[in-house]
């Protein structure tokens, strides 16, 4: 017998994470409101991002028409398209307040860029290995730095690529950085969150990420040009 004061299952307070809370997350009920906060704050920068990405997709279409003649070349342009496509998706996830999933997607973008550059030079042998599914793309950023001279790439730009990849690695593992995304950082009112959110305490991080991704979007045409130049063996 007990006096009724024990914290057994029947006596626990009702969880703040109700079935409706989970249901709303799965159905995206709150997503529009979260996106509205981001657009209100960063709308001008996002329009710049949109313009750069439109130019990037146009450059990809030209590359695809120019070099896609067989299966290997189709793999090359598919990697480029994957980088562009996922860059947009990663920004979309950020605008839904999903910082860690957005970072995971951004890591994919950087590895796709590195892999596309590596396979753009068939003489390296990596394209053949990629087609046969025997090349580990997790090593692409390391390898593109190693082959920078052969690929005629700017080492400063590659150093930035590698630096950013290390940041997004933190989003791919249960790090303290990743755990921080589960809490609001508003001074004096820190709370756990479920799903996406706009956190006034993280605006410095949002600003940095949107700026960084917009900057990357602006150089996509140069990246696409380098892929075509190397694949076609142009001087």
């Amino acid at each position: 017998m007990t006096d009724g004061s024990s914290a057994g299952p029947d006596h626990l307070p009702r969880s703040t994470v109700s079935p409706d809370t989970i249901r709303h997350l799965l159905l995206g009920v709150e997503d529009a409101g979260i996106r509205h906060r981001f657009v209100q704050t960063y709308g001008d920068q996002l329009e710049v991002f949109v313009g750069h990405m439109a130019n990037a997709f146009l450059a990809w279409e030209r590359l695809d028409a120019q070099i896609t003649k067989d299966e290997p070349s189709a793999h090359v342009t598919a990697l480029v398209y994957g980088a562009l496509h996922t860059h947009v998706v990663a920004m979309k996830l950020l605008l839904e307040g999903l910082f860690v999933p957005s970072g995971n997607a951004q890591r994919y973008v950087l590895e796709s860029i590195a892999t596309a550059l590596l396979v753009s030079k068939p003489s390296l042998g990596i394209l053949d290995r990629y087609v046969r599914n025997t090349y580990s793309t997790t090593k692409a950023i390391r390898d593109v730095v190693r082959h920078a001279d052969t690929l005629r790439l700017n080492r400063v730009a590659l150093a930035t690529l590698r630096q950013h990849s290390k940041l997004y690695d933190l989003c791919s593992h249960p790090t303290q950085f990743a755990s921080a995304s589960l809490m609001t950082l508003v001074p004096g009112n820190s709370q756990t969150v479920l799903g996406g959110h706009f956190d006034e305490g993280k605006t410095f991080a949002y600003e940095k990420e949107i700026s960084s991704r917009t900057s990357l979007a602006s150089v996509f045409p140069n990246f696409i040009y380098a892929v075509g130049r190397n694949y076609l063996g142009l001087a």
Side-chain angles (χ1 to χ4, degrees):
M1 297 288 293
T2 68
D3 60 4
S5 62
S6 64
D10 292 338
H11 302 283
L12 290 175
R14 185 177 296 276
S15 171
T16 56
V17 181
S18 68
D20 276 346
T21 302
I22 299 169
R23 191 175 297 113
H24 286 185
L25 170 62
L26 294 177
L27 298 178
V29 172
E30 312 296 339
D31 289 357
I34 296 168
R35 284 194 299 269
H36 180 67
R37 294 289 305 279
F38 276 97
V39 172
Q40 270 189 321
T41 309
Y42 305 109
D44 291 344
Q45 292 167 269
L46 292 171
E47 281 303 309
V48 175
F49 175 85
V50 168
H52 287 320
M53 289 309 303
N55 290 335
F57 280 107
L58 179 59
W60 174 82
E61 290 173 1
R62 291 170 177 163
L63 174 73
D64 187 56
Q66 188 177 24
I67 76 169
T68 303
K69 309 297 180 185
D70 51 22
E71 181 184 353
S73 58
H75 280 294
V76 175
T77 57
L79 281 164
V80 175
Y81 186 83
L84 272 57
H85 167 273
T86 309
H87 196 51
V88 175
V89 171
M91 184 65 91
K92 179 178 186 292
L93 289 170
L94 182 60
L95 300 185
E96 291 175 356
L98 298 168
F99 201 90
V100 167
S102 175
N104 285 331
Q106 202 62 29
R107 180 185 179 187
Y108 176 96
V109 172
L110 300 183
E111 289 185 349
S112 294
I113 290 171
T115 304
L117 289 167
L118 287 165
V119 302
S120 73
K121 194 77 171 178
S123 61
L124 289 177
I126 295 176
L127 175 57
D128 181 59
R129 290 166 59 193
Y130 180 82
V131 172
R132 291 186 287 110
N133 203 29
T134 60
Y135 177 69
S136 174
T137 56
T138 60
K139 300 175 181 177
I141 293 175
R142 179 202 69 184
D143 290 344
V144 79
V145 173
R146 289 180 176 179
H147 295 291
D149 294 338
T150 301
L151 295 167
R152 292 183 289 172
L153 299 174
N154 184 309
R155 285 190 173 274
V156 174
L158 292 181
T160 301
L161 184 76
R162 184 161 56 180
Q163 179 183 3
H164 286 178
S165 74
K166 289 180 179 179
L167 169 64
Y168 296 125
D169 282 347
L170 298 176
C171 294
S172 303
H173 307 285
T175 61
Q176 293 183 32
F177 177 88
S179 293
S181 73
L182 305 177
M183 301 286 295
T184 61
L185 298 183
V186 178
N189 190 32
S190 182
Q191 304 176 46
T192 57
V193 297
L194 180 66
H197 62 287
F198 183 94
D199 181 1
E200 295 286 355
K202 296 191 180 93
T203 54
F204 68 97
Y206 299 151
E207 174 74 31
K208 184 176 180 180
E209 279 301 296
I210 292 172
S211 177
S212 172
R213 296 177 191 198
T214 301
S215 178
L216 179 58
S218 74
V219 300
F220 270 139
N222 291 339
F223 149 62
I224 294 168
Y225 169 78
V227 170
R229 176 199 64 197
N230 288 335
Y231 195 80
L232 295 171
L234 300 177

